[in-house]
Amino acid sequence: MNKIERRKFIKLGLYSTAGVLCGSLFAFSKIEQDANVDNYEALLKFDWGFLVDTTRCIGCGACVRACKIENNVPESYFRTWVERYEIDKNGNIRVDSPKGAIESFKTDNFQSEDIVKAFFVPKLCNHCYDSACTQVCPVGATYETPDKVVLIDKERCVGCGYCVQACPYGCRYIDHEKGVADKCTLCYHRIQKGEAPACVNACPRSARIFGNLKDPKSKIRRILDQRRYGQLKPDLGTNPKCFYIGLDKEVV
Amino acid sequence: MIESANGFVFPNEMHVTWTVMIVLYPYITGMVAGAFIVSSFYHVFGMEKLKPIAKFALVSSFAFLCFATVPLLNHLGSPQRAFNIMLTPNFSSAMSGFGFVYSFYMIIVILEIWFCYREEFIEKYTNSGNVLKKIYYLLLLGNTVQNENTRKYDRKIVVFLAGFGIPVACILHGYVGFLFGSIKANLWWSTPLMFIIFIFSAIVSGLSVLIFLYQLIHWMRKKEIDQRCYELMAKWLWGFMIIAVILELMEILSISYENTERWAVLKQLINGKLWISYVVMQIGLFSIVPFLMLTFTSLLKLNNRIKNILIFCSSGMLLLQVLFMRWNVVIGGQLVSKSMRGFTEYFPGYFDKEGIIVSVIIILVPFLMLRLFDSIFPFFHKKKVRRIFFSEYE
């Protein structure tokens, strides 16, 4: 093989690797169905749902980091976080989420040999069908979009904090810099473009699944149709839209 | 729950959202509603003995009402949008009614004060010089007619407003209780009894502040108080504080007797974070002690001087009791994590925007305002009061 051919070969190899990498990044970040949404009727075809497979989560915290960067979440507040549950042989349970697990989990709380069961549970806004936060917002700043995502109109929010009190899941907080309430938007700016939320994209184990609940062919719908799942605090009547596979009774 | 599970709070719960400002708001509106109801005792229910404080109660209610929104505005993240609550109200929210109830109540109080003081304004109008005369003319809205008919008419309107104002005052304050009581996510708040407890505690704080100030002003001015009025107020205070405290204790008793998971968490709250402020201060020191003192003054024959001192002290203590109650409700409820596995901490800080110094100022300003109001709407007919007092007790 002469010099020029070798150079050509390496060049081709590099280009194709880069191409495959870019292509895969693009492909994986896309949700199955393009959210082609230029009018109200188009939005009505969607009902965005979220599924967390707790049996797959490894507590790496990549989702928390991705969310922080994507949404510029204020210091010491979280739109999503990961909880760690550890149960020892005496039945003692210890739950923690240091800094929302943004730096993952560094230390053990129990002696490893004593732990009989341990698992991670990622949490985020449940985008409830009957959300308490939408009900209590005095100025109508919190609202539900036609594609069933609960959002905050930050031009209208007065920052009273009533929604923070009303949310049973601790998903809301007051962004003191802007003086308004804030929470997970399911990366609405991304899903509008047909991309997956940042946390879903960042999860290395596909523990977070996002999709259109109205589409019978969507991955989330198929999983929900086949597997057993739970919801957080179903007794409160909020009808949450974040579903959990492998939900333990200890998780609230 | 197992002891090792006690320390987990959701990451967003590390900061308490509703600060001491939200403690002050129900405290101040409580006094507004309570004082108004006391003034209505005379105007509507014809309790002649309460006549000496009827006007004072009304004007106090107004002074507190003027400042009720200050802590709220200081707390709002975006106070510049405060009027959104009336411009774009979301009626599924209990809070959306705030602006309307508050304004409606304000109108009733202002109207009642105007009709109550019309006669005095006319007197001042006729006796004053150029500029003051014009001010009083404006205040009177140009109507300076006064005769038997107008007085009768004014009296009728006052009775109507005072009567109509009672449910509105109850709504104004009961609704604050409802705001808390209707939060299903909060174990400590969520109870339908909350708004009833708030109404009774409002009357307790209203009566307490009136008794306290009535005695204090008369001591400072070296004037005699109307003993009959004072004792009647003390008896009412005794009765209402019993109802308020019992209601609250019954609530706790009922939760503990049900012994659900809720009690497992609240038990830890009461025995832990709220032990000092709730059990020791609110229930122990500031409920039981004034209860005993008021029992003595209401049931035993005591020397007037001792009796008045006891009543004065118990009214001061009950003012603190209600403040503690507001703290324990508002802050206490937020200390419990929604994870039901832990408790958070709260200290307002001394110099913060929503800290202790600002809170003290916010609490004191209505009292200074009240002092100012005394020169515009004199509360006490000093001579008359003295005459009544001397004619009966000398």
Side-chain angles (χ1 to χ4, degrees):
Chain A
M1 194 186 285
N2 63 32
K3 245 183 182 177
I4 298 160
E5 274 184 348
R6 192 186 297 154
R7 193 171 284 169
K8 236 181 183 176
F9 177 75
I10 293 170
K11 226 178 186 178
L12 197 71
L14 278 174
Y15 279 143
S16 49
T17 316
V20 167
L21 269 174
C22 288
S24 65
L25 271 177
F26 182 72
F28 284 123
S29 77
K30 282 280 178 189
I31 36 186
E32 305 136 8
Q33 193 174 348
D34 254 12
N36 205 353
V37 282
D38 34 18
N39 57 48
Y40 180 79
E41 278 69 31
L43 283 171
L44 289 177
K45 281 186 241 150
F46 297 92
D47 177 2
W48 297 117
F50 209 96
L51 177 75
V52 175
D53 188 343
T54 60
T55 59
R56 296 186 68 84
C57 180
I58 52 170
C60 66
C63 48
V64 186
R65 290 190 289 278
C67 175
K68 272 263 182 203
I69 296 163
E70 178 73 28
N71 298 300
N72 205 7
V73 180
E75 181 75 29
S76 80
Y77 290 105
F78 301 89
R79 288 187 179 193
T80 183
W81 66 95
V82 182
E83 294 168 6
R84 171 171 66 174
Y85 288 72
E86 292 166 308
I87 298 155
D88 76 358
K89 58 187 177 192
N90 300 319
N92 293 323
I93 169 156
R94 161 87 198 218
V95 186
D96 65 348
S97 181
K99 290 187 194 164
I102 196 161
E103 295 161 4
S104 185
F105 296 88
K106 287 176 177 164
T107 51
D108 283 338
N109 292 309
F110 289 125
Q111 292 294 324
S112 316
E113 58 269 22
D114 290 342
I115 299 175
V116 290
K117 183 160 78 170
F119 50 88
F120 299 99
V121 181
K123 295 263 183 91
L124 69 158
C125 172
N126 286 257
H127 294 272
C128 312
Y129 285 115
D130 303 302
S131 62
C133 54
T134 313
Q135 182 197 359
V136 305
C137 177
V139 296
T142 294
Y143 63 99
E144 193 181 62
T145 62
D147 45 352
K148 300 277 189 282
V149 178
V150 177
L151 296 181
I152 302 165
D153 182 346
K154 293 188 179 172
E155 301 286 306
R156 188 173 288 189
C157 175
V158 291
C160 67
Y162 198 19
C163 56
V164 181
Q165 306 293 355
C167 172
Y169 309 103
C171 295
R172 282 176 169 253
Y173 53 86
I174 295 290
D175 180 343
H176 289 285
E177 227 166 77
K178 294 178 188 137
V180 292
D182 195 20
K183 70 166 192 74
C184 160
T185 60
L186 281 182
C187 285
Y188 203 65
H189 58 289
R190 290 174 63 93
I191 60 178
Q192 287 266 300
K193 289 187 282 183
E195 289 170 14
C199 58
V200 176
N201 226 13
C203 182
R205 295 270 296 144
S206 302
R208 289 170 177 255
I209 296 142
F210 170 81
N212 182 7
L213 294 171
K214 279 188 181 165
D215 176 11
K217 285 184 201 142
S218 68
K219 190 176 174 189
I220 186 167
R221 193 71 266 171
R222 275 184 284 131
I223 297 174
L224 288 175
D225 287 346
Q226 286 162 11
R227 299 190 60 183
R228 292 160 207 190
Y229 58 86
Q231 293 163 310
L232 297 175
K233 301 190 183 183
D235 52 313
L236 291 183
T238 52
N239 212 348
K241 221 168 41 164
C242 182
F243 306 97
Y244 286 87
I245 286 175
L247 195 65
D248 194 271
K249 76 173 179 61
E250 296 293 349
V251 183
V252 282
Chain B
M1 285 278 155
I2 304 148
E3 45 111 23
S4 56
N6 283 344
F8 176 64
V9 300
F10 290 137
N12 289 333
E13 290 180 323
M14 302 301 269
H15 313 266
V16 160
T17 308
W18 280 353
T19 63
V20 68
M21 289 300 129
I22 308 299
V23 175
L24 293 185
Y25 168 67
Y27 188 55
I28 296 176
T29 45
M31 294 199 274
V32 170
F36 185 88
I37 290 171
V38 175
S39 92
S40 294
F41 281 168
Y42 164 72
H43 290 300
V44 183
F45 302 112
M47 291 182 191
E48 284 296 325
K49 284 183 190 173
L50 291 181
K51 189 177 179 184
I53 54 103
K55 279 187 173 173
F56 173 53
L58 190 60
V59 179
S60 309
S61 182
F62 182 54
F64 294 124
L65 192 62
C66 291
F67 286 90
T69 52
V70 174
L72 292 184
L73 288 173
N74 186 35
H75 174 260
L76 279 189
S78 303
Q80 73 279 11
R81 297 182 194 146
F83 281 103
N84 278 9
I85 208 161
M86 289 171 91
L87 296 175
T88 58
N90 167 31
F91 288 116
S92 71
S93 163
M95 200 184 268
S96 64
F98 168 77
F100 302 104
V101 175
Y102 181 86
S103 324
F104 190 57
Y105 184 67
M106 185 67 120
I107 292 167
I108 289 179
V109 173
I110 290 176
L111 280 179
E112 195 179 334
I113 289 184
W114 193 79
F115 281 105
C116 260
Y117 280 92
R118 219 174 75 84
E119 214 179 314
E120 277 159 53
F121 284 170
I122 292 172
E123 258 173 49
K124 285 193 176 171
Y125 164 77
T126 31
N127 299 332
S128 51
N130 266 342
V131 183
L132 264 181
K133 206 177 180 82
K134 273 183 188 152
I135 293 174
Y136 277 111
Y137 189 76
L138 275 177
L139 264 177
L140 283 162
L141 303 176
N143 183 352
T144 56
V145 184
Q146 191 189 187
N147 54 41
E148 208 39 57
N149 256 345
T150 61
R151 271 192 285 271
K152 218 169 129 189
Y153 185 74
D154 288 350
R155 173 90 201 119
K156 251 188 194 168
I157 297 267
V158 166
V159 172
F160 170 75
L161 287 171
F164 191 55
I166 295 175
V168 183
C170 285
I171 289 169
L172 177 75
H173 197 66
Y175 132 93
V176 182
F178 179 80
L179 274 190
F180 291 102
S182 59
I183 298 278
K184 59 187 170 192
N186 194 305
L187 296 180
W188 185 234
W189 292 346
S190 169
T191 158
L193 257 191
M194 190 63 93
F195 90 97
I196 303 172
I197 295 174
F198 263 61
I199 290 175
F200 279 100
S201 65
I203 300 176
V204 170
S205 65
L207 274 163
S208 300
V209 75
L210 292 177
I211 292 178
F212 189 83
L213 288 177
Y214 184 51
Q215 179 69 278
L216 192 73
I217 292 168
H218 283 71
W219 268 339
M220 282 163 66
R221 292 179 179 169
K222 298 199 169 59
K223 296 267 177 357
E224 294 284 352
I225 54 161
D226 184 326
Q227 192 67 26
R228 284 197 318 162
C229 166
Y230 196 61
E231 280 182 23
L232 183 64
M233 278 204 290
K235 271 190 187 151
W236 278 111
L237 178 61
W238 182 55
F240 277 115
M241 70 93 49
I242 290 173
I243 300 175
V245 174
I246 294 287
L247 272 177
E248 214 173 325
L249 291 180
M250 285 301 288
E251 168 68 27
I252 301 286
L253 179 71
S254 138
I255 300 171
S256 73
Y257 193 77
E258 283 179 6
N259 203 14
T260 56
E261 193 184 10
R262 185 179 176 200
W263 177 242
V265 180
L266 294 185
K267 186 167 63 182
Q268 296 174 54
L269 176 73
I270 294 168
N271 290 326
K273 301 266 178 199
L274 290 191
W275 177 256
I276 300 286
S277 64
Y278 184 69
V279 181
V280 177
M281 303 301 259
Q282 187 193 325
I283 303 295
L285 185 61
F286 293 129
S287 292
I288 295 175
V289 176
F291 164 70
L292 292 176
M293 293 198 311
L294 288 173
T295 309
F296 291 145
T297 61
S298 303
L299 301 179
L300 300 178
K301 281 210 162 185
L302 294 170
N303 173 308
N304 272 356
R305 210 179 125 77
I306 297 173
K307 199 182 252 186
N308 291 356
I309 289 173
L310 282 179
I311 293 174
F312 180 70
C313 290
S314 48
S315 70
M317 289 176 100
L318 283 172
L319 269 180
L320 288 174
Q321 188 253 20
V322 177
L323 184 60
F324 271 104
M325 181 261 183
R326 307 288 189 237
W327 172 279
N328 290 328
V329 170
V330 177
I331 303 299
Q334 294 175 88
L335 296 182
V336 189
S337 169
K338 288 165 183 167
S339 72
M340 312 229 271
R341 292 182 186 279
F343 302 91
T344 185
E345 295 274 347
Y346 175 67
F347 179 72
Y350 294 104
F351 303 103
D352 299 28
K353 178 181 151 243
E354 299 178 40
I356 291 172
I357 305 269
V358 176
S359 309
V360 172
I361 293 171
I362 289 178
I363 277 285
L364 288 181
V365 171
F367 289 94
L368 298 176
M369 187 80 171
L370 196 57
R371 173 71 196 84
L372 187 77
F373 277 174
D374 189 27
S375 43
I376 310 169
F377 320 105
F379 324 128
F380 302 121
H381 298 276
K382 288 147 203 165
K383 282 177 194 164
K384 266 188 199 166
V385 171
R386 281 176 72 85
R387 220 178 295 134
I388 291 167
F389 180 83
F390 288 119
S391 63
E392 282 174 12
Y393 292 93
E394 275 190 358

